[in-house]
Coordinates of all heavy atoms in Angstrom, one line a residue:
S1 N 161.2 -85.7 31.1 CA 162.3 -85.9 30.1 C 163.5 -85.1 30.5 O 164.6 -85.5 30.2 CB 161.8 -85.7 28.7 OG 161.6 -84.3 28.6
M2 N 163.3 -84.0 31.1 CA 164.5 -83.1 31.5 C 165.3 -83.9 32.6 O 166.4 -83.8 32.7 CB 164.0 -81.8 32.0 CG 163.5 -80.9 30.9 SD 164.6 -80.5 29.7 CE 165.6 -79.4 30.5
T3 N 164.5 -84.6 33.5 CA 165.2 -85.4 34.5 C 166.1 -86.5 33.9 O 167.2 -86.7 34.3 CB 164.2 -86.0 35.5 OG1 163.4 -84.9 36.1 CG2 164.9 -86.7 36.6
D4 N 165.5 -87.1 32.9 CA 166.3 -88.2 32.2 C 167.6 -87.6 31.7 O 168.6 -88.3 31.8 CB 165.5 -88.8 31.1 CG 164.3 -89.6 31.6 OD1 164.2 -89.9 32.8 OD2 163.4 -89.9 30.7
C5 N 167.5 -86.5 31.1 CA 168.7 -85.8 30.5 C 169.7 -85.5 31.6 O 170.9 -85.8 31.4 CB 168.3 -84.6 29.7 SG 167.4 -84.9 28.3
S6 N 169.3 -85.0 32.7 CA 170.3 -84.6 33.7 C 170.9 -85.9 34.3 O 172.1 -85.8 34.7 CB 169.5 -83.8 34.8 OG 168.6 -84.5 35.5
F7 N 170.2 -86.9 34.4 CA 170.8 -88.2 34.9 C 171.8 -88.7 33.9 O 172.8 -89.2 34.3 CB 169.8 -89.2 35.3 CG 169.1 -89.0 36.6 CD1 167.8 -88.6 36.7 CD2 169.9 -89.4 37.8 CE1 167.3 -88.4 38.0 CE2 169.3 -89.2 39.0 CZ 168.0 -88.6 39.2
Y8 N 171.5 -88.6 32.7 CA 172.4 -89.1 31.6 C 173.7 -88.3 31.7 O 174.8 -88.9 31.6 CB 171.8 -89.0 30.3 CG 172.8 -89.4 29.2 CD1 173.1 -90.8 29.0 CD2 173.4 -88.5 28.4 CE1 173.9 -91.2 27.9 CE2 174.2 -88.8 27.3 CZ 174.5 -90.2 27.2 OH 175.4 -90.5 26.2
V9 N 173.6 -87.0 31.8 CA 174.8 -86.2 31.8 C 175.6 -86.4 33.0 O 176.9 -86.2 33.0 CB 174.4 -84.7 31.6 CG1 175.5 -83.7 31.9 CG2 173.8 -84.4 30.2
N10 N 175.0 -86.7 34.1 CA 175.7 -86.8 35.4 C 175.8 -88.2 35.9 O 176.1 -88.4 37.1 CB 174.9 -86.0 36.4 CG 175.0 -84.5 36.2 OD1 176.1 -84.0 36.1 ND2 173.9 -83.9 35.9
D11 N 175.7 -89.2 35.1 CA 175.8 -90.6 35.6 C 177.0 -90.9 36.3 O 177.0 -91.5 37.3 CB 175.5 -91.6 34.4 CG 176.5 -91.5 33.3 OD1 177.3 -90.5 33.2 OD2 176.5 -92.5 32.5
W12 N 178.2 -90.6 35.7 CA 179.4 -90.9 36.3 C 179.6 -90.2 37.6 O 180.0 -90.8 38.7 CB 180.6 -90.8 35.4 CG 181.9 -91.0 36.1 CD1 182.9 -90.1 36.5 CD2 182.4 -92.3 36.6 NE1 183.9 -90.7 37.1 CE2 183.6 -92.1 37.2 CE3 181.9 -93.6 36.6 CZ2 184.4 -93.1 37.8 CZ3 182.6 -94.6 37.1 CH2 183.9 -94.4 37.7
P13 N 179.5 -88.9 37.7 CA 179.6 -88.2 39.0 C 178.7 -88.7 40.1 O 179.0 -88.8 41.2 CB 179.3 -86.7 38.7 CG 179.6 -86.6 37.2 CD 179.2 -87.9 36.6
M14 N 177.4 -89.1 39.7 CA 176.5 -89.6 40.7 C 177.0 -90.9 41.2 O 176.9 -91.2 42.4 CB 175.1 -89.7 40.1 CG 174.5 -88.3 39.8 SD 173.1 -88.5 38.8 CE 171.8 -88.0 39.9
L15 N 177.4 -91.8 40.3 CA 178.0 -93.1 40.8 C 179.2 -93.0 41.6 O 179.3 -93.6 42.7 CB 178.3 -94.0 39.5 CG 178.8 -95.3 39.8 CD1 177.8 -96.2 40.6 CD2 179.2 -96.0 38.5
E16 N 180.1 -92.1 41.2 CA 181.3 -91.8 42.0 C 180.9 -91.4 43.4 O 181.6 -91.8 44.4 CB 182.2 -90.8 41.3 CG 183.5 -90.5 41.9 CD 184.4 -89.7 41.1 OE1 183.9 -89.0 40.1 OE2 185.5 -89.5 41.5
Y17 N 180.0 -90.5 43.5 CA 179.6 -90.0 44.9 C 178.9 -91.1 45.6 O 179.2 -91.2 46.9 CB 178.7 -88.7 44.7 CG 178.3 -88.2 46.1 CD1 179.2 -87.4 46.8 CD2 177.1 -88.5 46.6 CE1 178.9 -86.9 48.0 CE2 176.8 -88.0 47.9 CZ 177.6 -87.2 48.6 OH 177.4 -86.7 49.9
S18 N 178.0 -91.9 45.0 CA 177.3 -92.9 45.7 C 178.3 -94.0 46.2 O 178.1 -94.5 47.3 CB 176.3 -93.6 44.8 OG 175.4 -92.6 44.4
V19 N 179.3 -94.4 45.4 CA 180.2 -95.4 45.7 C 181.3 -95.0 46.7 O 181.6 -95.6 47.7 CB 180.7 -96.2 44.6 CG1 181.7 -97.2 44.9 CG2 179.6 -96.8 43.7
F20 N 182.0 -93.9 46.2 CA 183.2 -93.5 47.0 C 183.0 -92.3 47.9 O 183.9 -91.9 48.7 CB 184.3 -93.2 46.0 CG 184.6 -94.2 45.0 CD1 184.3 -94.2 43.6 CD2 185.2 -95.4 45.5 CE1 184.6 -95.2 42.8 CE2 185.5 -96.5 44.6 CZ 185.2 -96.4 43.3
G21 N 181.8 -91.6 47.8 CA 181.7 -90.5 48.6 C 182.5 -89.2 48.2 O 182.6 -88.3 48.9
T22 N 183.0 -89.2 46.9 CA 183.8 -88.1 46.4 C 183.0 -87.3 45.4 O 182.2 -87.8 44.7 CB 185.1 -88.6 45.7 OG1 184.8 -89.4 44.7 CG2 186.0 -89.3 46.7
V23 N 183.2 -86.0 45.5 CA 182.5 -85.1 44.6 C 183.4 -84.9 43.4 O 184.6 -84.6 43.5 CB 182.2 -83.7 45.3 CG1 181.6 -82.8 44.3 CG2 181.4 -84.0 46.5
A24 N 182.8 -85.1 42.2 CA 183.6 -85.0 41.0 C 184.0 -83.5 40.7 O 183.3 -82.6 41.1 CB 182.7 -85.5 39.8
Q25 N 185.2 -83.4 40.2 CA 185.8 -82.0 39.9 C 185.2 -81.7 38.5 O 185.0 -82.5 37.6 CB 187.3 -82.2 39.9 CG 187.8 -82.5 41.3 CD 187.5 -81.6 42.3 OE1 187.6 -80.3 42.2 NE2 187.0 -82.1 43.5
R26 N 185.2 -80.4 38.3 CA 184.8 -79.8 37.0 C 185.9 -80.2 36.0 O 187.0 -80.0 36.3 CB 184.6 -78.3 37.1 CG 183.4 -77.9 37.8 CD 183.3 -76.4 37.8 NE 182.1 -76.0 38.5 CZ 181.5 -74.9 38.2 NH1 182.0 -74.0 37.4 NH2 180.4 -74.6 38.9
N27 N 185.5 -80.7 34.8 CA 186.5 -81.0 33.8 C 186.1 -80.5 32.4 O 186.7 -80.9 31.4 CB 186.6 -82.5 33.8 CG 185.4 -83.3 33.6 OD1 184.5 -82.7 33.1 ND2 185.4 -84.5 33.8
G28 N 185.1 -79.6 32.3 CA 184.8 -79.0 31.1 C 184.4 -80.1 30.1 O 183.6 -81.0 30.3
N29 N 185.0 -80.0 28.9 CA 184.8 -81.0 27.8 C 185.6 -82.2 27.9 O 185.6 -83.1 27.0 CB 185.0 -80.3 26.5 CG 184.0 -79.3 26.2 OD1 182.8 -79.4 26.6 ND2 184.3 -78.2 25.5
H30 N 186.4 -82.3 28.9 CA 187.4 -83.5 29.0 C 186.7 -84.6 29.8 O 185.8 -84.4 30.6 CB 188.7 -83.0 29.7 CG 189.4 -82.0 28.8 ND1 190.3 -82.4 27.9 CD2 189.3 -80.7 28.7 CE1 190.8 -81.3 27.3 NE2 190.2 -80.3 27.8
D31 N 187.2 -85.8 29.5 CA 186.7 -87.0 30.3 C 187.7 -87.4 31.2 O 188.9 -87.7 30.8 CB 186.3 -88.0 29.3 CG 185.6 -89.2 29.9 OD1 186.2 -89.8 30.9 OD2 184.5 -89.6 29.5
P32 N 187.5 -87.6 32.5 CA 188.5 -88.1 33.5 C 189.0 -89.5 33.3 O 189.9 -89.9 33.9 CB 187.8 -87.9 34.8 CG 186.4 -88.0 34.5 CD 186.2 -87.5 33.1
N33 N 188.4 -90.2 32.4 CA 188.6 -91.7 32.3 C 189.2 -92.0 30.9 O 189.6 -93.2 30.7 CB 187.4 -92.5 32.5 CG 186.9 -92.2 33.9 OD1 187.5 -92.4 34.9 ND2 185.6 -91.9 33.9
V34 N 189.3 -91.0 30.0 CA 189.8 -91.2 28.6 C 190.6 -90.2 28.2 O 190.4 -89.0 28.4 CB 188.5 -91.4 27.6 CG1 189.0 -91.6 26.2 CG2 187.5 -92.4 28.1
A35 N 191.7 -90.5 27.5 CA 192.7 -89.6 27.1 C 193.3 -89.9 25.7 O 193.6 -91.1 25.5 CB 193.8 -89.3 28.1
P36 N 193.5 -89.0 24.8 CA 193.0 -87.6 24.8 C 191.6 -87.5 24.5 O 191.1 -88.3 23.7 CB 193.9 -87.0 23.7 CG 194.3 -88.1 22.8 CD 194.3 -89.3 23.6
Y37 N 190.9 -86.7 25.2 CA 189.4 -86.5 25.0 C 189.1 -85.1 25.4 O 189.3 -84.7 26.6 CB 188.6 -87.5 25.9 CG 187.2 -87.6 25.6 CD1 186.7 -88.6 24.8 CD2 186.3 -86.6 26.1 CE1 185.3 -88.7 24.6 CE2 185.0 -86.7 25.9 CZ 184.5 -87.7 25.1 OH 183.1 -87.8 24.9
G38 N 188.7 -84.3 24.5 CA 188.2 -82.9 24.9 C 188.6 -82.0 23.8 O 189.0 -82.3 22.7
E39 N 188.6 -80.7 24.2 CA 188.9 -79.5 23.2 C 190.3 -79.1 23.6 O 190.7 -78.9 24.8 CB 187.9 -78.4 23.6 CG 188.1 -77.3 22.7 CD 187.1 -76.2 23.0 OE1 185.9 -76.5 23.2 OE2 187.4 -75.0 23.0
F40 N 191.1 -79.0 22.6 CA 192.5 -78.5 22.8 C 192.9 -77.4 21.9 O 192.4 -77.4 20.7 CB 193.5 -79.7 22.5 CG 193.2 -80.9 23.3 CD1 192.3 -81.8 23.0 CD2 193.9 -81.0 24.6 CE1 192.1 -83.0 23.8 CE2 193.7 -82.1 25.4 CZ 192.8 -83.1 24.9
A41 N 193.6 -76.4 22.4 CA 194.1 -75.3 21.6 C 195.1 -75.7 20.6 O 195.9 -76.6 20.8 CB 194.7 -74.2 22.5
A42 N 194.9 -75.2 19.3 CA 195.8 -75.5 18.2 C 196.3 -74.1 17.7 O 195.9 -73.0 18.1 CB 195.1 -76.2 17.2
K43 N 197.3 -74.2 16.8 CA 197.9 -73.0 16.2 C 196.8 -72.1 15.6 O 196.9 -70.9 15.7 CB 198.9 -73.4 15.2 CG 199.7 -72.3 14.6 CD 200.7 -72.9 13.7 CE 201.4 -71.8 12.9 NZ 202.4 -72.3 11.9
D44 N 195.8 -72.7 15.0 CA 194.8 -71.9 14.3 C 193.4 -71.9 14.8 O 192.5 -71.7 14.1 CB 194.9 -72.2 12.8 CG 194.6 -73.7 12.5 OD1 194.6 -74.5 13.5 OD2 194.3 -74.1 11.4
G45 N 193.3 -72.3 16.0 CA 191.9 -72.5 16.7 C 191.9 -73.5 17.7 O 192.9 -73.7 18.5
Y46 N 190.9 -74.4 17.6 CA 190.8 -75.5 18.5 C 190.5 -76.8 17.7 O 190.0 -76.7 16.7 CB 189.6 -75.2 19.5 CG 189.9 -74.2 20.5 CD1 189.6 -72.8 20.2 CD2 190.5 -74.4 21.8 CE1 190.0 -71.8 21.1 CE2 190.8 -73.5 22.6 CZ 190.5 -72.1 22.3 OH 190.8 -71.1 23.2
I47 N 190.8 -77.8 18.4 CA 190.5 -79.2 17.9 C 189.8 -80.0 19.0 O 190.3 -79.9 20.2 CB 191.8 -79.9 17.3 CG1 191.4 -81.2 16.7 CG2 192.8 -80.1 18.5 CD1 192.6 -81.8 15.9
V48 N 188.9 -80.8 18.6 CA 188.2 -81.7 19.5 C 188.7 -83.1 19.2 O 188.5 -83.5 18.1 CB 186.7 -81.5 19.5 CG1 186.0 -82.5 20.4 CG2 186.3 -80.1 19.8
L49 N 189.1 -83.8 20.3 CA 189.6 -85.2 20.1 C 188.7 -86.0 21.1 O 188.4 -85.7 22.1 CB 191.0 -85.3 20.5 CG 192.0 -84.5 19.7 CD1 193.5 -84.7 20.3 CD2 192.0 -85.0 18.3
A50 N 188.5 -87.3 20.6 CA 187.8 -88.3 21.3 C 188.4 -89.7 21.0 O 187.8 -90.4 20.3 CB 186.3 -88.2 21.0
I51 N 189.6 -89.8 21.6 CA 190.3 -91.2 21.3 C 190.0 -92.1 22.5 O 190.5 -92.0 23.6 CB 191.8 -90.9 21.3 CG1 192.2 -89.7 20.3 CG2 192.6 -92.1 20.9 CD1 191.8 -89.8 18.9
T52 N 189.0 -93.0 22.2 CA 188.4 -93.8 23.3 C 188.9 -95.2 23.3 O 188.6 -95.9 24.3 CB 186.9 -93.8 23.2 OG1 186.6 -94.4 21.9 CG2 186.3 -92.4 23.3
T53 N 189.7 -95.6 22.3 CA 190.3 -97.0 22.3 C 191.7 -97.0 21.9 O 192.1 -96.0 21.3 CB 189.5 -97.9 21.3 OG1 189.7 -97.4 19.9 CG2 187.9 -97.9 21.6
E54 N 192.4 -98.1 22.1 CA 193.8 -98.3 21.7 C 193.9 -98.3 20.2 O 194.8 -97.7 19.7 CB 194.4 -99.5 22.3 CG 194.3 -99.6 23.9 CD 194.6 -98.4 24.6 OE1 195.5 -97.6 24.1 OE2 194.1 -98.2 25.7
K55 N 192.9 -98.9 19.6 CA 193.0 -98.9 18.1 C 192.8 -97.4 17.5 O 193.5 -97.1 16.6 CB 191.8 -99.8 17.6 CG 191.9 -100.0 16.1 CD 190.9 -101.0 15.6 CE 191.0 -101.3 14.1 NZ 190.0 -102.3 13.7
A56 N 192.0 -96.7 18.1 CA 191.8 -95.3 17.7 C 193.1 -94.4 17.9 O 193.4 -93.6 17.1 CB 190.6 -94.7 18.4
W57 N 193.7 -94.8 19.1 CA 195.0 -94.1 19.4 C 196.1 -94.4 18.3 O 196.7 -93.4 17.8 CB 195.5 -94.6 20.8 CG 196.9 -94.0 21.1 CD1 198.0 -94.8 21.2 CD2 197.3 -92.6 21.3 NE1 199.1 -94.0 21.6 CE2 198.7 -92.7 21.6 CE3 196.6 -91.4 21.3 CZ2 199.4 -91.5 22.0 CZ3 197.3 -90.3 21.6 CH2 198.7 -90.3 21.9
Q58 N 196.2 -95.6 17.9 CA 197.1 -96.0 16.8 C 196.7 -95.2 15.5 O 197.6 -94.7 14.8 CB 197.0 -97.5 16.6 CG 197.5 -98.4 17.7 CD 198.9 -98.2 18.1 OE1 199.8 -98.0 17.2 NE2 199.2 -98.2 19.3
K59 N 195.4 -95.2 15.2 CA 195.0 -94.6 13.9 C 195.2 -93.1 14.0 O 195.5 -92.4 13.0 CB 193.5 -94.9 13.6 CG 193.3 -96.3 13.2 CD 191.8 -96.5 12.8 CE 191.6 -97.9 12.3 NZ 190.2 -98.1 11.9
F60 N 195.0 -92.5 15.2 CA 195.2 -91.1 15.3 C 196.7 -90.7 15.1 O 197.0 -89.7 14.5 CB 194.8 -90.6 16.8 CG 195.2 -89.2 17.1 CD1 194.5 -88.2 16.6 CD2 196.1 -89.0 18.1 CE1 194.8 -86.9 17.0 CE2 196.4 -87.7 18.5 CZ 195.8 -86.7 17.9
C61 N 197.6 -91.5 15.6 CA 199.0 -91.1 15.6 C 199.6 -91.4 14.2 O 200.6 -90.7 13.8 CB 199.8 -92.1 16.6 SG 199.5 -91.6 18.3
S62 N 199.0 -92.3 13.4 CA 199.6 -92.6 12.1 C 199.7 -91.5 11.2 O 200.8 -91.1 10.7 CB 198.8 -93.8 11.5 OG 199.4 -94.2 10.3
P63 N 198.6 -90.8 10.8 CA 198.7 -89.6 9.9 C 199.5 -88.5 10.4 O 200.0 -87.6 9.7 CB 197.2 -89.2 9.7 CG 196.5 -89.8 10.8 CD 197.2 -90.9 11.3
L64 N 199.7 -88.5 11.7 CA 200.6 -87.4 12.3 C 202.1 -87.7 12.2 O 202.9 -87.0 12.7 CB 200.2 -87.2 13.7 CG 198.7 -86.7 14.1 CD1 198.5 -86.6 15.5 CD2 198.5 -85.3 13.4
E65 N 202.3 -88.9 11.7 CA 203.7 -89.5 11.7 C 204.3 -89.6 13.0 O 205.5 -89.2 13.2 CB 204.6 -88.7 10.6 CG 204.0 -88.7 9.3 CD 204.8 -87.9 8.3 OE1 205.9 -87.3 8.7 OE2 204.5 -87.9 7.1
A66 N 203.4 -90.0 13.9 CA 203.8 -90.1 15.4 C 203.7 -91.6 15.8 O 203.3 -91.8 16.9 CB 203.0 -89.2 16.2
E67 N 204.2 -92.5 15.0 CA 204.2 -93.9 15.4 C 205.0 -94.2 16.6 O 204.6 -95.0 17.3 CB 204.6 -94.8 14.2 CG 203.6 -94.9 13.0 CD 203.7 -93.7 12.0 OE1 204.5 -92.9 12.2 OE2 202.9 -93.7 11.1
A68 N 206.1 -93.5 16.7 CA 206.9 -93.6 17.9 C 206.1 -93.2 19.2 O 206.3 -93.9 20.2 CB 208.2 -92.8 17.8
L69 N 205.3 -92.2 19.1 CA 204.5 -91.8 20.2 C 203.4 -92.9 20.6 O 203.3 -93.3 21.7 CB 203.8 -90.5 20.0 CG 202.9 -90.0 21.1 CD1 203.8 -89.6 22.2 CD2 202.2 -88.7 20.6
A70 N 202.9 -93.5 19.5 CA 201.9 -94.5 19.7 C 202.5 -95.9 20.3 O 201.9 -96.5 21.1 CB 201.3 -94.9 18.3
A71 N 203.7 -96.1 20.0 CA 204.4 -97.3 20.5 C 205.2 -97.0 21.8 O 205.5 -98.0 22.5 CB 205.5 -97.8 19.5
D72 N 205.2 -95.8 22.2 CA 206.0 -95.4 23.5 C 205.2 -96.0 24.7 O 204.1 -95.8 24.9 CB 206.0 -93.9 23.6 CG 206.8 -93.4 24.7 OD1 206.8 -94.0 25.9 OD2 207.6 -92.5 24.6
P73 N 205.9 -96.9 25.5 CA 205.3 -97.5 26.6 C 204.6 -96.5 27.6 O 203.8 -96.9 28.3 CB 206.4 -98.3 27.3 CG 207.6 -98.1 26.5 CD 207.3 -97.1 25.4
R74 N 205.0 -95.2 27.6 CA 204.4 -94.3 28.5 C 203.1 -93.9 28.0 O 202.3 -93.3 28.8 CB 205.3 -93.0 28.6 CG 206.6 -93.3 29.2 CD 207.5 -92.1 29.1 NE 207.7 -91.7 27.7 CZ 208.2 -90.5 27.3 NH1 208.4 -89.6 28.2 NH2 208.4 -90.3 26.1
F75 N 202.7 -94.1 26.7 CA 201.4 -93.7 26.2 C 200.6 -94.7 25.5 O 199.6 -94.5 25.0 CB 201.7 -92.5 25.2 CG 202.5 -91.4 25.8 CD1 203.8 -91.1 25.4 CD2 201.9 -90.5 26.8 CE1 204.5 -90.1 25.9 CE2 202.6 -89.5 27.3 CZ 204.0 -89.3 26.8
N76 N 201.1 -96.0 25.5 CA 200.5 -96.9 24.6 C 199.2 -97.5 25.2 O 198.5 -98.3 24.5 CB 201.4 -98.1 24.3 CG 201.9 -98.9 25.5 OD1 201.5 -98.5 26.6 ND2 202.7 -99.9 25.3
R77 N 198.8 -97.1 26.4 CA 197.5 -97.6 27.0 C 196.8 -96.3 27.5 O 197.4 -95.4 28.0 CB 197.7 -98.6 28.1 CG 198.3 -99.8 27.7 CD 197.2 -100.8 27.1 NE 197.8 -102.0 26.7 CZ 197.9 -102.4 25.3 NH1 197.5 -101.6 24.4 NH2 198.4 -103.6 25.1
N78 N 195.5 -96.4 27.4 CA 194.7 -95.2 27.9 C 195.0 -94.8 29.4 O 195.2 -93.7 29.6 CB 193.2 -95.5 27.8 CG 192.3 -94.4 28.3 OD1 192.3 -93.3 27.7 ND2 191.6 -94.6 29.4
A79 N 195.2 -95.8 30.2 CA 195.4 -95.6 31.6 C 196.8 -94.8 31.8 O 196.9 -94.0 32.7 CB 195.5 -96.8 32.5
K80 N 197.6 -95.0 30.9 CA 199.0 -94.3 31.0 C 198.9 -92.9 30.5 O 199.7 -92.1 30.8 CB 200.0 -95.1 30.2 CG 200.3 -96.5 30.9 CD 201.3 -97.3 30.1 CE 201.6 -98.6 30.6 NZ 202.6 -99.3 29.7
R81 N 197.9 -92.6 29.6 CA 197.7 -91.3 29.0 C 197.0 -90.4 29.9 O 196.8 -89.2 29.6 CB 197.0 -91.4 27.6 CG 197.9 -92.1 26.6 CD 197.3 -91.9 25.2 NE 196.0 -92.6 25.0 CZ 195.8 -93.8 24.7 NH1 196.8 -94.6 24.4 NH2 194.6 -94.2 24.5
L82 N 196.3 -90.9 31.0 CA 195.5 -90.0 31.8 C 196.4 -89.1 32.6 O 197.4 -89.4 33.1 CB 194.7 -90.9 32.8 CG 193.5 -91.6 32.1 CD1 192.8 -92.5 33.1 CD2 192.5 -90.7 31.5

């Protein structure tokens, strides 16, 4: 069962190495394919974000009164936020 866990945690780095021959870089709690995703410093501590879809991005920006950011063509798609 420990081997199963290690494969689950390392599935993307193993695939990347097998297909492209590249060694994945350390990224801590961040995901190299999704943004924003991870732990971020805030004024009073830390916040953890996991915005994995465009719909979630829109919902995230709304209560922050950041609709302009959500609609900005530089950030309106995950690939552009990476």
Side-chain angles (χ1 to χ4, degrees):
S1 67
M2 292 299 284
T3 303
D4 292 344
C5 292
S6 67
F7 277 104
Y8 176 76
V9 170
N10 293 300
D11 62 344
W12 177 251
M14 292 166 110
L15 179 63
E16 186 176 9
Y17 182 77
S18 297
V19 174
F20 303 112
T22 57
V23 177
Q25 300 297 311
R26 291 182 177 202
N27 57 15
N29 292 327
H30 296 271
D31 187 305
N33 303 303
V34 181
Y37 189 102
E39 182 179 322
F40 300 90
K43 183 178 175 181
D44 59 349
Y46 289 88
I47 185 170
V48 176
L49 301 175
I51 311 298
T52 59
T53 66
E54 305 313 329
K55 187 174 182 178
W57 173 246
Q58 299 292 324
K59 287 184 176 185
F60 170 73
C61 290
S62 182
L64 300 175
E65 298 178 358
E67 288 84 1
L69 183 64
D72 189 319
R74 296 174 298 165
F75 306 110
N76 65 355
R77 296 279 180 249
N78 179 66
K80 295 177 182 179
R81 293 190 298 270
L82 290 175

